[in-house]
């Protein structure tokens, strides 16, 4: 652990902000428990990935300028999303390839960006968050988290430390079909992909499905419910923060 408290800027993400704020509160709890000072810059916006993937570089660049400014002074920038963290770390700097000054600032930002669970384990050396979860879980590896950020073992180690019984899918690394704009542009393919995924999830007989990206979780939760599967869906941060007792699973009403 570090001698002084790291100052962390939390990149909340759009889906967490609008659909599942509890994930943001879970992230803050985990980071503060690990010894960080956490702030949530009010000037933050979307990471720009939808515009970037749609080829709208102008909008993505405008958003990136604001993000670089909003998070300039933090020791680290942490997001409870491999997708958004991947955008900030690997793609945002290239929006400024024609501007050396802004490219330098974007590179400096990118060097300080981490996905939440990766930051806890790889930077802060957290081995156990102190939460306890007695259920049987299966874990979906999101495309960006796995392929762009190398996140695979980190959440599994923390879940096992929390007492969860982890049952692996046959293909946990296969895309769920969400893919941001992909599910809008190619709905038939997306539905086929998420249906394959829900079949893989159901075959584990796990009580709970976990992942680190809200887009994936909402996509899989919706399909699981439409197909009648009794599987609870949660963001991994909620489990690791010990916040499951007071929160309904994703897509399920409070009651």
């Amino acid at each position: 652990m570090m001698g002084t408290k790291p100052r962390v800027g939390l990149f909340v993400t759009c889906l967490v902000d609008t659909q599942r704020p509890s994930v943001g509160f879970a992230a803050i709890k985990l980071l503060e428990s690990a010894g960080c000072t956490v702030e949530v810059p009010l000037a933050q916006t979307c990471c720009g990935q939808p515009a970037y993937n749609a080829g709208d570089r102008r909008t993505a660049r405008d958003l990136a300028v604001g993000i670089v400014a909003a998070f300039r002074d933090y020791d680290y920038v942490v997001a409870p999303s491999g997708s958004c963290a991947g955008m900030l770390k690997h793609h945002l700097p290239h929006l400024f390839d024609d501007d050396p000054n802004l490219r330098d600032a974007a590179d400096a930002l990118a060097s300080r960006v981490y996905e939440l669970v990766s930051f806890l384990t790889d930077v802060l050396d957290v081995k156990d968050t102190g939460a306890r979860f007695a259920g049987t879980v299966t874990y979906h590896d999101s495309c960006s988290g796995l392929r762009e950020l190398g996140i695979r073992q980190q959440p599994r180690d923390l879940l096992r430390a929390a007492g969860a019984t982890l049952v692996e899918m046959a293909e946990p690394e296969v895309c769920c079909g969400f893919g941001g704009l992909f599910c809008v542009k190619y709905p038939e393919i997306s539905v086929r992909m998420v249906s394959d995924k829900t079949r893989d999830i159901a075959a584990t007989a796990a009580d709970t499905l976990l992942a680190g990206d809200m887009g994936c979780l909402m996509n899989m939760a919706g399909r699981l419910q439409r197909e009648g599967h009794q599987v609870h869906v949660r963001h991994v941060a909620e489990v690791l923060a010990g916040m499951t007792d007071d929160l309904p699973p994703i897509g399920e009403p409070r009651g």
Side-chain angles (χ1 to χ4, degrees):
M1 278 292 211
M2 306 171 185
T4 58
K5 285 189 174 184
R7 185 167 174 248
V8 171
L10 180 66
F11 190 86
V12 175
T13 83
C14 297
L15 289 179
V16 168
D17 183 37
T18 61
Q19 303 297 320
R20 191 74 170 180
S22 56
V23 174
F25 291 114
I28 292 171
K29 181 179 179 180
L30 287 165
L31 291 166
E32 289 183 340
S33 295
C36 299
T37 298
V38 184
E39 298 178 24
V40 182
L42 296 179
Q44 66 181 285
T45 61
C46 171
C47 70
Q49 188 183 89
Y52 183 82
N53 288 345
D56 183 0
R57 296 297 193 268
R58 177 177 296 179
T59 297
R61 180 186 170 107
D62 288 345
L63 292 169
V65 170
I67 291 168
V68 170
F71 288 91
R72 187 186 307 275
D73 297 327
Y74 293 96
D75 298 323
Y76 298 99
V77 179
V78 176
S81 163
S83 177
C84 295
M87 175 67 193
L88 298 180
K89 195 169 189 70
H90 294 297
H91 304 293
L92 181 148
H94 292 294
L95 293 167
F96 305 112
D97 284 342
D98 61 346
D99 188 324
N101 290 328
L102 283 174
R103 176 62 195 259
D104 287 347
D107 283 337
L109 172 72
S111 70
R112 295 179 281 114
V113 169
Y114 290 87
E115 183 272 342
L116 173 65
V117 178
S118 174
F119 181 69
L120 291 171
T121 58
D122 300 337
V123 177
L124 300 181
D125 198 30
V126 172
K127 307 292 187 186
D128 188 337
T129 65
R132 292 296 173 261
F133 188 81
T136 301
V137 306
T138 192
Y139 194 89
H140 166 72
D141 297 300
S142 72
C143 294
S144 295
L146 178 65
R147 294 167 179 83
E148 292 187 337
L149 302 174
I151 300 165
R152 189 183 189 283
Q153 196 59 40
Q154 299 96 320
R156 289 167 169 83
D157 288 344
L158 290 181
L159 288 167
R160 289 191 176 100
T165 300
L166 181 64
V167 182
E168 295 286 4
M169 292 178 239
E171 296 181 307
E173 74 286 350
V174 170
C175 179
C176 73
F178 178 69
L181 294 179
F182 178 85
C183 64
V184 178
K185 294 174 67 176
Y186 306 103
E188 295 85 1
I189 300 174
S190 176
V191 169
R192 174 63 183 270
M193 292 173 72
V194 73
S195 297
D196 290 344
K197 175 60 69 170
T198 55
R199 186 163 49 251
D200 201 0
I201 294 165
T204 68
D207 301 320
T208 303
L209 167 67
L210 301 176
D213 271 279
M214 276 302 301
C216 302
L217 288 164
M218 291 170 62
N219 187 41
M220 293 183 292
R223 194 64 185 173
L224 285 165
Q225 289 177 11
R226 286 190 289 274
E227 293 178 348
H229 297 294
Q230 302 300 311
V231 180
H232 299 311
V233 181
R234 294 188 180 278
H235 192 287
V236 66
E238 296 173 335
V239 171
L240 295 178
M243 294 173 59
T244 59
D245 289 344
D246 298 324
L247 293 169
I250 292 170
E252 298 181 24
R254 185 183 295 272

